[in-house]
PDB file of all heavy atoms in Angstrom:
ATOM      1  N   ASP A 156      11.491  17.043  10.923  1.00 98.00           N
ATOM      2  CA  ASP A 156      10.224  17.456  11.412  1.00 98.00           C
ATOM      3  C   ASP A 156       9.827  18.681  10.616  1.00 98.00           C
ATOM      4  O   ASP A 156       8.868  19.454  11.093  1.00 98.00           O
ATOM      5  CB  ASP A 156      10.349  17.788  12.913  1.00 98.00           C
ATOM      6  CG  ASP A 156      11.390  18.850  13.305  1.00 98.00           C
ATOM      7  OD1 ASP A 156      12.024  19.242  12.374  1.00 98.00           O
ATOM      8  OD2 ASP A 156      11.379  19.236  14.485  1.00 98.00           O
ATOM      9  N   ASP A 157      10.457  19.033   9.467  1.00 97.00           N
ATOM     10  CA  ASP A 157       9.952  20.137   8.644  1.00 97.00           C
ATOM     11  C   ASP A 157       9.019  19.584   7.579  1.00 97.00           C
ATOM     12  O   ASP A 157       8.714  18.303   7.551  1.00 97.00           O
ATOM     13  CB  ASP A 157      11.078  20.825   8.052  1.00 97.00           C
ATOM     14  CG  ASP A 157      12.077  21.497   8.954  1.00 97.00           C
ATOM     15  OD1 ASP A 157      11.471  22.623   9.415  1.00 97.00           O
ATOM     16  OD2 ASP A 157      13.198  21.080   9.252  1.00 97.00           O
ATOM     17  N   GLU A 158       8.466  20.401   6.693  1.00 98.00           N
ATOM     18  CA  GLU A 158       7.446  19.925   5.680  1.00 98.00           C
ATOM     19  C   GLU A 158       8.092  18.875   4.718  1.00 98.00           C
ATOM     20  O   GLU A 158       9.194  19.010   4.393  1.00 98.00           O
ATOM     21  CB  GLU A 158       7.096  21.191   4.881  1.00 98.00           C
ATOM     22  CG  GLU A 158       6.026  20.867   3.997  1.00 98.00           C
ATOM     23  CD  GLU A 158       5.387  22.078   3.226  1.00 98.00           C
ATOM     24  OE1 GLU A 158       5.854  23.159   3.569  1.00 98.00           O
ATOM     25  OE2 GLU A 158       4.479  21.897   2.389  1.00 98.00           O
ATOM     26  N   TRP A 159       7.271  17.946   4.409  1.00 98.00           N
ATOM     27  CA  TRP A 159       7.689  16.937   3.345  1.00 98.00           C
ATOM     28  C   TRP A 159       7.104  17.334   2.075  1.00 98.00           C
ATOM     29  O   TRP A 159       5.883  17.793   1.961  1.00 98.00           O
ATOM     30  CB  TRP A 159       7.107  15.458   3.801  1.00 98.00           C
ATOM     31  CG  TRP A 159       7.851  14.864   4.982  1.00 98.00           C
ATOM     32  CD1 TRP A 159       7.372  14.842   6.207  1.00 98.00           C
ATOM     33  CD2 TRP A 159       9.138  14.213   4.891  1.00 98.00           C
ATOM     34  NE1 TRP A 159       8.344  14.163   7.011  1.00 98.00           N
ATOM     35  CE2 TRP A 159       9.412  13.676   6.240  1.00 98.00           C
ATOM     36  CE3 TRP A 159      10.004  13.963   3.787  1.00 98.00           C
ATOM     37  CZ2 TRP A 159      10.532  13.111   6.455  1.00 98.00           C
ATOM     38  CZ3 TRP A 159      11.143  13.243   4.170  1.00 98.00           C
ATOM     39  CH2 TRP A 159      11.467  12.812   5.528  1.00 98.00           C
ATOM     40  N   TYR A 160       7.810  17.008   1.067  1.00 98.00           N
ATOM     41  CA  TYR A 160       7.465  17.214  -0.350  1.00 98.00           C
ATOM     42  C   TYR A 160       7.546  15.968  -1.116  1.00 98.00           C
ATOM     43  O   TYR A 160       8.477  15.275  -1.031  1.00 98.00           O
ATOM     44  CB  TYR A 160       8.368  18.209  -1.003  1.00 98.00           C
ATOM     45  CG  TYR A 160       8.329  19.599  -0.274  1.00 98.00           C
ATOM     46  CD1 TYR A 160       9.295  19.874   0.697  1.00 98.00           C
ATOM     47  CD2 TYR A 160       7.390  20.544  -0.488  1.00 98.00           C
ATOM     48  CE1 TYR A 160       9.355  21.042   1.290  1.00 98.00           C
ATOM     49  CE2 TYR A 160       7.368  21.775   0.124  1.00 98.00           C
ATOM     50  CZ  TYR A 160       8.458  21.958   1.124  1.00 98.00           C
ATOM     51  OH  TYR A 160       8.401  23.212   1.789  1.00 98.00           O
ATOM     52  N   GLU A 161       6.523  15.525  -1.878  1.00 98.00           N
ATOM     53  CA  GLU A 161       6.508  14.322  -2.665  1.00 98.00           C
ATOM     54  C   GLU A 161       7.134  14.496  -3.900  1.00 98.00           C
ATOM     55  O   GLU A 161       6.973  15.474  -4.571  1.00 98.00           O
ATOM     56  CB  GLU A 161       5.024  13.838  -2.858  1.00 98.00           C
ATOM     57  CG  GLU A 161       4.889  12.591  -3.534  1.00 98.00           C
ATOM     58  CD  GLU A 161       3.519  12.000  -3.546  1.00 98.00           C
ATOM     59  OE1 GLU A 161       2.709  12.373  -2.782  1.00 98.00           O
ATOM     60  OE2 GLU A 161       3.136  11.222  -4.598  1.00 98.00           O
ATOM     61  N   ILE A 162       7.971  13.496  -4.301  1.00 98.00           N
ATOM     62  CA  ILE A 162       8.532  13.446  -5.668  1.00 98.00           C
ATOM     63  C   ILE A 162       7.350  13.000  -6.625  1.00 98.00           C
ATOM     64  O   ILE A 162       6.868  11.854  -6.506  1.00 98.00           O
ATOM     65  CB  ILE A 162       9.751  12.507  -5.672  1.00 98.00           C
ATOM     66  CG1 ILE A 162      10.843  13.084  -4.801  1.00 98.00           C
ATOM     67  CG2 ILE A 162      10.178  12.331  -7.078  1.00 98.00           C
ATOM     68  CD1 ILE A 162      11.532  14.276  -5.191  1.00 98.00           C
ATOM     69  N   ALA A 163       7.004  13.938  -7.498  1.00 98.00           N
ATOM     70  CA  ALA A 163       5.951  13.589  -8.394  1.00 98.00           C
ATOM     71  C   ALA A 163       6.521  12.830  -9.548  1.00 98.00           C
ATOM     72  O   ALA A 163       7.057  13.361 -10.567  1.00 98.00           O
ATOM     73  CB  ALA A 163       5.293  14.932  -8.906  1.00 98.00           C
ATOM     74  N   GLY A 164       6.439  11.498  -9.448  1.00 98.00           N
ATOM     75  CA  GLY A 164       6.909  10.693 -10.525  1.00 98.00           C
ATOM     76  C   GLY A 164       5.959  10.622 -11.687  1.00 98.00           C
ATOM     77  O   GLY A 164       5.049  11.352 -11.722  1.00 98.00           O
ATOM     78  N   SER A 165       6.246   9.731 -12.620  1.00 97.00           N
ATOM     79  CA  SER A 165       5.505   9.700 -13.884  1.00 97.00           C
ATOM     80  C   SER A 165       4.026   9.385 -13.603  1.00 97.00           C
ATOM     81  O   SER A 165       3.204   9.701 -14.525  1.00 97.00           O
ATOM     82  CB  SER A 165       6.060   8.513 -14.762  1.00 97.00           C
ATOM     83  OG  SER A 165       6.065   7.213 -14.048  1.00 97.00           O
ATOM     84  N   GLU A 166       3.612   8.878 -12.572  1.00 98.00           N
ATOM     85  CA  GLU A 166       2.148   8.521 -12.332  1.00 98.00           C
ATOM     86  C   GLU A 166       1.424   9.529 -11.549  1.00 98.00           C
ATOM     87  O   GLU A 166       0.159   9.438 -11.297  1.00 98.00           O
ATOM     88  CB  GLU A 166       2.138   7.126 -11.645  1.00 98.00           C
ATOM     89  CG  GLU A 166       2.850   5.997 -12.156  1.00 98.00           C
ATOM     90  CD  GLU A 166       2.590   5.834 -13.748  1.00 98.00           C
ATOM     91  OE1 GLU A 166       1.500   5.475 -14.015  1.00 98.00           O
ATOM     92  OE2 GLU A 166       3.548   6.098 -14.362  1.00 98.00           O
ATOM     93  N   TYR A 167       2.157  10.552 -11.042  1.00 98.00           N
ATOM     94  CA  TYR A 167       1.540  11.437 -10.114  1.00 98.00           C
ATOM     95  C   TYR A 167       0.270  12.115 -10.563  1.00 98.00           C
ATOM     96  O   TYR A 167      -0.723  12.284  -9.823  1.00 98.00           O
ATOM     97  CB  TYR A 167       2.620  12.550  -9.671  1.00 98.00           C
ATOM     98  CG  TYR A 167       2.034  13.440  -8.640  1.00 98.00           C
ATOM     99  CD1 TYR A 167       2.158  13.026  -7.152  1.00 98.00           C
ATOM    100  CD2 TYR A 167       1.508  14.672  -8.874  1.00 98.00           C
ATOM    101  CE1 TYR A 167       1.584  13.947  -6.179  1.00 98.00           C
ATOM    102  CE2 TYR A 167       0.970  15.561  -7.860  1.00 98.00           C
ATOM    103  CZ  TYR A 167       1.099  15.114  -6.484  1.00 98.00           C
ATOM    104  OH  TYR A 167       0.552  15.977  -5.580  1.00 98.00           O
ATOM    105  N   TYR A 168       0.324  12.592 -11.778  1.00 97.00           N
ATOM    106  CA  TYR A 168      -0.817  13.407 -12.407  1.00 97.00           C
ATOM    107  C   TYR A 168      -1.860  12.575 -13.050  1.00 97.00           C
ATOM    108  O   TYR A 168      -2.831  13.139 -13.594  1.00 97.00           O
ATOM    109  CB  TYR A 168      -0.293  14.465 -13.206  1.00 97.00           C
ATOM    110  CG  TYR A 168       0.550  15.543 -12.529  1.00 97.00           C
ATOM    111  CD1 TYR A 168       2.027  15.450 -12.611  1.00 97.00           C
ATOM    112  CD2 TYR A 168       0.008  16.519 -11.807  1.00 97.00           C
ATOM    113  CE1 TYR A 168       2.844  16.309 -12.036  1.00 97.00           C
ATOM    114  CE2 TYR A 168       0.886  17.395 -11.058  1.00 97.00           C
ATOM    115  CZ  TYR A 168       2.228  17.277 -11.226  1.00 97.00           C
ATOM    116  OH  TYR A 168       3.059  18.240 -10.525  1.00 97.00           O
ATOM    117  N   LYS A 169      -1.735  11.295 -13.073  1.00 98.00           N
ATOM    118  CA  LYS A 169      -2.715  10.366 -13.742  1.00 98.00           C
ATOM    119  C   LYS A 169      -3.923  10.092 -12.973  1.00 98.00           C
ATOM    120  O   LYS A 169      -3.837  10.067 -11.714  1.00 98.00           O
ATOM    121  CB  LYS A 169      -2.038   9.117 -14.217  1.00 98.00           C
ATOM    122  CG  LYS A 169      -0.903   9.232 -15.184  1.00 98.00           C
ATOM    123  CD  LYS A 169      -0.251   7.924 -15.599  1.00 98.00           C
ATOM    124  CE  LYS A 169       0.790   8.031 -16.581  1.00 98.00           C
ATOM    125  NZ  LYS A 169       1.400   6.757 -17.055  1.00 98.00           N
ATOM    126  N   ASN A 170      -5.037   9.985 -13.646  1.00 97.00           N
ATOM    127  CA  ASN A 170      -6.364   9.755 -12.891  1.00 97.00           C
ATOM    128  C   ASN A 170      -6.329   8.314 -12.253  1.00 97.00           C
ATOM    129  O   ASN A 170      -7.390   8.005 -11.477  1.00 97.00           O
ATOM    130  CB  ASN A 170      -7.477  10.042 -13.782  1.00 97.00           C
ATOM    131  CG  ASN A 170      -7.557   9.164 -15.021  1.00 97.00           C
ATOM    132  OD1 ASN A 170      -6.790   8.109 -15.061  1.00 97.00           O
ATOM    133  ND2 ASN A 170      -8.336   9.463 -15.994  1.00 97.00           N
ATOM    134  N   THR A 171      -5.422   7.471 -12.502  1.00 98.00           N
ATOM    135  CA  THR A 171      -5.428   6.164 -11.882  1.00 98.00           C
ATOM    136  C   THR A 171      -4.650   6.300 -10.511  1.00 98.00           C
ATOM    137  O   THR A 171      -4.685   5.275  -9.747  1.00 98.00           O
ATOM    138  CB  THR A 171      -4.687   5.189 -12.752  1.00 98.00           C
ATOM    139  OG1 THR A 171      -3.423   5.696 -13.153  1.00 98.00           O
ATOM    140  CG2 THR A 171      -5.486   4.877 -13.976  1.00 98.00           C
ATOM    141  N   THR A 172      -3.956   7.388 -10.185  1.00 98.00           N
ATOM    142  CA  THR A 172      -3.340   7.553  -8.985  1.00 98.00           C
ATOM    143  C   THR A 172      -4.239   8.259  -7.951  1.00 98.00           C
ATOM    144  O   THR A 172      -4.918   9.321  -8.324  1.00 98.00           O
ATOM    145  CB  THR A 172      -2.088   8.425  -9.148  1.00 98.00           C
ATOM    146  OG1 THR A 172      -1.267   7.706 -10.077  1.00 98.00           O
ATOM    147  CG2 THR A 172      -1.378   8.676  -7.853  1.00 98.00           C
ATOM    148  N   ILE A 173      -4.441   7.630  -6.683  1.00 98.00           N
ATOM    149  CA  ILE A 173      -5.278   8.183  -5.759  1.00 98.00           C
ATOM    150  C   ILE A 173      -4.481   8.935  -4.708  1.00 98.00           C
ATOM    151  O   ILE A 173      -3.571   8.451  -4.046  1.00 98.00           O
ATOM    152  CB  ILE A 173      -6.096   7.079  -5.039  1.00 98.00           C
ATOM    153  CG1 ILE A 173      -6.861   6.282  -6.085  1.00 98.00           C
ATOM    154  CG2 ILE A 173      -6.900   7.632  -3.909  1.00 98.00           C
ATOM    155  CD1 ILE A 173      -7.582   5.008  -5.494  1.00 98.00           C
ATOM    156  N   LYS A 174      -4.803  10.273  -4.506  1.00 98.00           N
ATOM    157  CA  LYS A 174      -4.127  11.034  -3.485  1.00 98.00           C
ATOM    158  C   LYS A 174      -5.032  10.942  -2.139  1.00 98.00           C
ATOM    159  O   LYS A 174      -6.124  10.594  -2.110  1.00 98.00           O
ATOM    160  CB  LYS A 174      -4.193  12.504  -3.852  1.00 98.00           C
ATOM    161  CG  LYS A 174      -3.600  12.794  -5.297  1.00 98.00           C
ATOM    162  CD  LYS A 174      -2.121  12.414  -5.363  1.00 98.00           C
ATOM    163  CE  LYS A 174      -1.533  13.046  -6.637  1.00 98.00           C
ATOM    164  NZ  LYS A 174      -2.257  12.719  -7.903  1.00 98.00           N
ATOM    165  N   ASN A 175      -4.368  11.138  -1.047  1.00 98.00           N
ATOM    166  CA  ASN A 175      -4.941  11.071   0.323  1.00 98.00           C
ATOM    167  C   ASN A 175      -5.700   9.705   0.564  1.00 98.00           C
ATOM    168  O   ASN A 175      -6.743   9.590   1.094  1.00 98.00           O
ATOM    169  CB  ASN A 175      -6.004  12.234   0.494  1.00 98.00           C
ATOM    170  CG  ASN A 175      -5.376  13.529   0.336  1.00 98.00           C
ATOM    171  OD1 ASN A 175      -4.362  13.821   0.875  1.00 98.00           O
ATOM    172  ND2 ASN A 175      -5.949  14.426  -0.476  1.00 98.00           N
ATOM    173  N   TYR A 176      -4.969   8.661   0.048  1.00 98.00           N
ATOM    174  CA  TYR A 176      -5.459   7.254   0.203  1.00 98.00           C
ATOM    175  C   TYR A 176      -5.144   6.913   1.641  1.00 98.00           C
ATOM    176  O   TYR A 176      -3.984   7.162   2.177  1.00 98.00           O
ATOM    177  CB  TYR A 176      -4.834   6.387  -0.736  1.00 98.00           C
ATOM    178  CG  TYR A 176      -5.222   4.879  -0.634  1.00 98.00           C
ATOM    179  CD1 TYR A 176      -6.392   4.497  -1.181  1.00 98.00           C
ATOM    180  CD2 TYR A 176      -4.344   4.020  -0.154  1.00 98.00           C
ATOM    181  CE1 TYR A 176      -6.797   3.073  -1.174  1.00 98.00           C
ATOM    182  CE2 TYR A 176      -4.645   2.615  -0.079  1.00 98.00           C
ATOM    183  CZ  TYR A 176      -5.911   2.255  -0.512  1.00 98.00           C
ATOM    184  OH  TYR A 176      -6.229   0.923  -0.516  1.00 98.00           O
ATOM    185  N   SER A 177      -6.064   6.150   2.249  1.00 98.00           N
ATOM    186  CA  SER A 177      -5.717   5.634   3.676  1.00 98.00           C
ATOM    187  C   SER A 177      -6.126   4.173   3.762  1.00 98.00           C
ATOM    188  O   SER A 177      -7.190   3.760   3.259  1.00 98.00           O
ATOM    189  CB  SER A 177      -6.581   6.463   4.669  1.00 98.00           C
ATOM    190  OG  SER A 177      -6.259   6.068   5.940  1.00 98.00           O
ATOM    191  N   LEU A 178      -5.259   3.323   4.285  1.00 98.00           N
ATOM    192  CA  LEU A 178      -5.570   1.988   4.428  1.00 98.00           C
ATOM    193  C   LEU A 178      -5.210   1.510   5.889  1.00 98.00           C
ATOM    194  O   LEU A 178      -4.187   1.944   6.439  1.00 98.00           O
ATOM    195  CB  LEU A 178      -4.662   1.113   3.398  1.00 98.00           C
ATOM    196  CG  LEU A 178      -4.847  -0.386   3.365  1.00 98.00           C
ATOM    197  CD1 LEU A 178      -4.636  -0.899   1.962  1.00 98.00           C
ATOM    198  CD2 LEU A 178      -3.861  -1.083   4.323  1.00 98.00           C
ATOM    199  N   THR A 179      -6.153   0.601   6.419  1.00 98.00           N
ATOM    200  CA  THR A 179      -5.912   0.202   7.722  1.00 98.00           C
ATOM    201  C   THR A 179      -5.835  -1.377   7.814  1.00 98.00           C
ATOM    202  O   THR A 179      -6.747  -2.072   7.152  1.00 98.00           O
ATOM    203  CB  THR A 179      -7.053   0.534   8.624  1.00 98.00           C
ATOM    204  OG1 THR A 179      -7.211   1.987   8.646  1.00 98.00           O
ATOM    205  CG2 THR A 179      -6.914   0.042  10.042  1.00 98.00           C
ATOM    206  N   TYR A 180      -4.802  -1.854   8.394  1.00 98.00           N
ATOM    207  CA  TYR A 180      -4.628  -3.330   8.559  1.00 98.00           C
ATOM    208  C   TYR A 180      -5.134  -3.625   9.971  1.00 98.00           C
ATOM    209  O   TYR A 180      -4.866  -2.967  10.949  1.00 98.00           O
ATOM    210  CB  TYR A 180      -3.110  -3.799   8.501  1.00 98.00           C
ATOM    211  CG  TYR A 180      -2.497  -3.441   7.229  1.00 98.00           C
ATOM    212  CD1 TYR A 180      -1.768  -2.308   6.935  1.00 98.00           C
ATOM    213  CD2 TYR A 180      -2.564  -4.299   6.089  1.00 98.00           C
ATOM    214  CE1 TYR A 180      -1.135  -1.862   5.817  1.00 98.00           C
ATOM    215  CE2 TYR A 180      -1.953  -3.992   4.880  1.00 98.00           C
ATOM    216  CZ  TYR A 180      -1.269  -2.858   4.690  1.00 98.00           C
ATOM    217  OH  TYR A 180      -0.605  -2.508   3.500  1.00 98.00           O
ATOM    218  N   HIS A 181      -5.740  -4.858  10.114  1.00 96.00           N
ATOM    219  CA  HIS A 181      -6.260  -5.241  11.450  1.00 96.00           C
ATOM    220  C   HIS A 181      -5.503  -6.488  11.834  1.00 96.00           C
ATOM    221  O   HIS A 181      -5.517  -7.568  11.248  1.00 96.00           O
ATOM    222  CB  HIS A 181      -7.816  -5.545  11.298  1.00 96.00           C
ATOM    223  CG  HIS A 181      -8.623  -4.390  10.919  1.00 96.00           C
ATOM    224  ND1 HIS A 181      -9.001  -3.380  11.703  1.00 96.00           N
ATOM    225  CD2 HIS A 181      -8.992  -4.005   9.584  1.00 96.00           C
ATOM    226  CE1 HIS A 181      -9.567  -2.389  11.001  1.00 96.00           C
ATOM    227  NE2 HIS A 181      -9.689  -2.842   9.784  1.00 96.00           N
ATOM    228  N   LYS A 182      -4.921  -6.386  13.077  1.00 94.00           N
ATOM    229  CA  LYS A 182      -4.124  -7.474  13.616  1.00 94.00           C
ATOM    230  C   LYS A 182      -5.028  -8.702  13.937  1.00 94.00           C
ATOM    231  O   LYS A 182      -6.052  -8.532  14.582  1.00 94.00           O
ATOM    232  CB  LYS A 182      -3.386  -7.035  14.874  1.00 94.00           C
ATOM    233  CG  LYS A 182      -2.347  -7.985  15.462  1.00 94.00           C
ATOM    234  CD  LYS A 182      -1.656  -7.458  16.636  1.00 94.00           C
ATOM    235  CE  LYS A 182      -0.534  -8.372  17.091  1.00 94.00           C
ATOM    236  NZ  LYS A 182       0.174  -7.844  18.208  1.00 94.00           N
ATOM    237  N   PRO A 183      -4.593  -9.906  13.504  1.00 87.00           N
ATOM    238  CA  PRO A 183      -5.457 -11.056  13.660  1.00 87.00           C
ATOM    239  C   PRO A 183      -5.296 -11.474  15.178  1.00 87.00           C
ATOM    240  O   PRO A 183      -4.341 -11.166  15.809  1.00 87.00           O
ATOM    241  CB  PRO A 183      -4.922 -12.197  12.766  1.00 87.00           C
ATOM    242  CG  PRO A 183      -3.382 -11.721  12.570  1.00 87.00           C
ATOM    243  CD  PRO A 183      -3.412 -10.205  12.621  1.00 87.00           C
ATOM    244  N   ALA A 184      -6.315 -12.209  15.658  1.00 79.00           N
ATOM    245  CA  ALA A 184      -6.316 -12.651  17.017  1.00 79.00           C
ATOM    246  C   ALA A 184      -5.143 -13.645  17.316  1.00 79.00           C
ATOM    247  O   ALA A 184      -4.436 -13.712  18.292  1.00 79.00           O
ATOM    248  CB  ALA A 184      -7.578 -13.470  17.360  1.00 79.00           C
ATOM    249  N   SER A 185      -4.658 -14.437  16.292  1.00 69.00           N
ATOM    250  CA  SER A 185      -3.580 -15.253  16.400  1.00 69.00           C
ATOM    251  C   SER A 185      -3.084 -15.626  14.963  1.00 69.00           C
ATOM    252  O   SER A 185      -3.834 -15.543  14.026  1.00 69.00           O
ATOM    253  CB  SER A 185      -3.949 -16.623  17.082  1.00 69.00           C
ATOM    254  OG  SER A 185      -4.917 -17.259  16.332  1.00 69.00           O
ATOM    255  N   ASP A 186      -1.785 -15.953  14.864  1.00 61.00           N
ATOM    256  CA  ASP A 186      -1.228 -16.385  13.547  1.00 61.00           C
ATOM    257  C   ASP A 186      -1.832 -17.618  13.100  1.00 61.00           C
ATOM    258  O   ASP A 186      -2.130 -18.537  13.860  1.00 61.00           O
ATOM    259  CB  ASP A 186       0.249 -16.475  13.637  1.00 61.00           C
ATOM    260  CG  ASP A 186       0.908 -15.157  13.869  1.00 61.00           C
ATOM    261  OD1 ASP A 186       0.355 -14.140  13.455  1.00 61.00           O
ATOM    262  OD2 ASP A 186       2.019 -15.204  14.480  1.00 61.00           O
ATOM    263  N   LYS A 187      -2.083 -17.798  11.812  1.00 56.00           N
ATOM    264  CA  LYS A 187      -2.646 -18.981  11.178  1.00 56.00           C
ATOM    265  C   LYS A 187      -1.531 -19.753  10.526  1.00 56.00           C
ATOM    266  O   LYS A 187      -0.680 -19.092   9.902  1.00 56.00           O
ATOM    267  CB  LYS A 187      -3.787 -18.677  10.222  1.00 56.00           C
ATOM    268  CG  LYS A 187      -4.971 -17.824  10.886  1.00 56.00           C
ATOM    269  CD  LYS A 187      -5.920 -17.516   9.756  1.00 56.00           C
ATOM    270  CE  LYS A 187      -7.116 -16.759  10.288  1.00 56.00           C
ATOM    271  NZ  LYS A 187      -8.139 -16.409   9.254  1.00 56.00           N
ATOM    272  N   ILE A 188      -1.513 -21.044  10.597  1.00 51.00           N
ATOM    273  CA  ILE A 188      -0.533 -21.808   9.954  1.00 51.00           C
ATOM    274  C   ILE A 188      -1.150 -22.198   8.529  1.00 51.00           C
ATOM    275  O   ILE A 188      -2.196 -22.752   8.329  1.00 51.00           O
ATOM    276  CB  ILE A 188      -0.193 -23.041  10.715  1.00 51.00           C
ATOM    277  CG1 ILE A 188       0.263 -22.762  12.064  1.00 51.00           C
ATOM    278  CG2 ILE A 188       0.765 -23.897   9.848  1.00 51.00           C
ATOM    279  CD1 ILE A 188       1.443 -21.882  12.079  1.00 51.00           C
ATOM    280  N   PRO A 189      -0.453 -21.759   7.520  1.00 47.00           N
ATOM    281  CA  PRO A 189      -1.056 -21.977   6.176  1.00 47.00           C
ATOM    282  C   PRO A 189      -1.060 -23.421   5.736  1.00 47.00           C
ATOM    283  O   PRO A 189      -0.202 -24.266   6.096  1.00 47.00           O
ATOM    284  CB  PRO A 189      -0.058 -21.203   5.198  1.00 47.00           C
ATOM    285  CG  PRO A 189       1.285 -21.155   6.045  1.00 47.00           C
ATOM    286  CD  PRO A 189       0.885 -21.072   7.462  1.00 47.00           C
ATOM    287  N   VAL A 190      -2.085 -23.700   4.968  1.00 49.00           N
ATOM    288  CA  VAL A 190      -2.207 -25.102   4.426  1.00 49.00           C
ATOM    289  C   VAL A 190      -1.825 -25.038   2.942  1.00 49.00           C
ATOM    290  O   VAL A 190      -2.464 -24.354   2.198  1.00 49.00           O
ATOM    291  CB  VAL A 190      -3.678 -25.595   4.535  1.00 49.00           C
ATOM    292  CG1 VAL A 190      -3.728 -26.954   3.879  1.00 49.00           C
ATOM    293  CG2 VAL A 190      -4.127 -25.681   6.036  1.00 49.00           C
ATOM    294  N   PRO A 191      -0.790 -25.866   2.542  1.00 48.00           N
ATOM    295  CA  PRO A 191      -0.346 -25.689   1.070  1.00 48.00           C
ATOM    296  C   PRO A 191      -1.515 -26.020   0.126  1.00 48.00           C
ATOM    297  O   PRO A 191      -2.387 -26.822   0.363  1.00 48.00           O
ATOM    298  CB  PRO A 191       0.647 -26.869   1.079  1.00 48.00           C
ATOM    299  CG  PRO A 191       1.180 -27.055   2.386  1.00 48.00           C
ATOM    300  CD  PRO A 191       0.034 -26.819   3.361  1.00 48.00           C
ATOM    301  N   GLY A 192      -1.530 -25.183  -0.908  1.00 46.00           N
ATOM    302  CA  GLY A 192      -2.537 -25.294  -1.941  1.00 46.00           C
ATOM    303  C   GLY A 192      -2.155 -26.486  -2.910  1.00 46.00           C
ATOM    304  O   GLY A 192      -1.243 -27.186  -2.715  1.00 46.00           O
ATOM    305  N   THR A 193      -2.953 -26.546  -3.951  1.00 41.00           N
ATOM    306  CA  THR A 193      -2.763 -27.648  -4.908  1.00 41.00           C
ATOM    307  C   THR A 193      -1.621 -27.348  -5.862  1.00 41.00           C
ATOM    308  O   THR A 193      -1.183 -28.253  -6.583  1.00 41.00           O
ATOM    309  CB  THR A 193      -4.028 -27.993  -5.615  1.00 41.00           C
ATOM    310  OG1 THR A 193      -4.436 -26.732  -6.390  1.00 41.00           O
ATOM    311  CG2 THR A 193      -5.124 -28.452  -4.713  1.00 41.00           C
ATOM    312  N   ALA A 194      -1.252 -26.085  -5.912  1.00 43.00           N
ATOM    313  CA  ALA A 194      -0.069 -25.765  -6.921  1.00 43.00           C
ATOM    314  C   ALA A 194       0.705 -24.722  -6.028  1.00 43.00           C
ATOM    315  O   ALA A 194       0.241 -23.908  -5.303  1.00 43.00           O
ATOM    316  CB  ALA A 194      -0.544 -25.143  -8.144  1.00 43.00           C
ATOM    317  N   PHE A 195       1.904 -24.656  -6.425  1.00 41.00           N
ATOM    318  CA  PHE A 195       2.905 -23.695  -5.718  1.00 41.00           C
ATOM    319  C   PHE A 195       2.582 -22.303  -5.726  1.00 41.00           C
ATOM    320  O   PHE A 195       2.945 -21.518  -4.870  1.00 41.00           O
ATOM    321  CB  PHE A 195       4.427 -24.019  -5.999  1.00 41.00           C
ATOM    322  CG  PHE A 195       4.661 -23.414  -7.353  1.00 41.00           C
ATOM    323  CD1 PHE A 195       5.222 -22.109  -7.299  1.00 41.00           C
ATOM    324  CD2 PHE A 195       4.487 -24.005  -8.585  1.00 41.00           C
ATOM    325  CE1 PHE A 195       5.661 -21.636  -8.561  1.00 41.00           C
ATOM    326  CE2 PHE A 195       4.875 -23.484  -9.739  1.00 41.00           C
ATOM    327  CZ  PHE A 195       5.381 -22.177  -9.739  1.00 41.00           C
ATOM    328  N   TRP A 196       1.796 -21.909  -6.822  1.00 40.00           N
ATOM    329  CA  TRP A 196       1.671 -20.447  -6.908  1.00 40.00           C
ATOM    330  C   TRP A 196       0.317 -20.022  -6.274  1.00 40.00           C
ATOM    331  O   TRP A 196      -0.051 -18.794  -6.413  1.00 40.00           O
ATOM    332  CB  TRP A 196       1.618 -20.033  -8.404  1.00 40.00           C
ATOM    333  CG  TRP A 196       0.550 -20.790  -9.260  1.00 40.00           C
ATOM    334  CD1 TRP A 196      -0.666 -20.445  -9.398  1.00 40.00           C
ATOM    335  CD2 TRP A 196       0.817 -21.865 -10.180  1.00 40.00           C
ATOM    336  NE1 TRP A 196      -1.356 -21.338 -10.196  1.00 40.00           N
ATOM    337  CE2 TRP A 196      -0.469 -22.188 -10.751  1.00 40.00           C
ATOM    338  CE3 TRP A 196       1.834 -22.647 -10.343  1.00 40.00           C
ATOM    339  CZ2 TRP A 196      -0.588 -23.234 -11.567  1.00 40.00           C
ATOM    340  CZ3 TRP A 196       1.773 -23.740 -11.324  1.00 40.00           C
ATOM    341  CH2 TRP A 196       0.558 -23.988 -11.818  1.00 40.00           C
TER     342      TRP A 196
END
């Protein structure tokens, strides 16, 4: 419960890295059963 410090890896200071990024997932009303596509990928 003390302060956290981020390990600044090789990408930390690059302009392609976003700080204070926030993402929200929304729970679906029900699970969907997938339908296989035309190719496995």
Side-chain angles (χ1 to χ4, degrees):
D156 60 355
D157 291 292
E158 184 173 359
W159 287 101
Y160 303 93
E161 183 170 335
I162 295 296
S165 57
E166 310 307 294
Y167 183 84
Y168 297 101
K169 295 183 178 179
N170 58 15
T171 53
T172 298
I173 302 174
K174 311 296 195 306
N175 301 312
Y176 179 78
S177 184
L178 183 146
T179 298
Y180 301 95
H181 301 277
K182 187 175 184 178
S185 62
D186 290 334
K187 300 177 181 180
I188 304 300
V190 177
T193 57
F195 75 92
W196 60 81

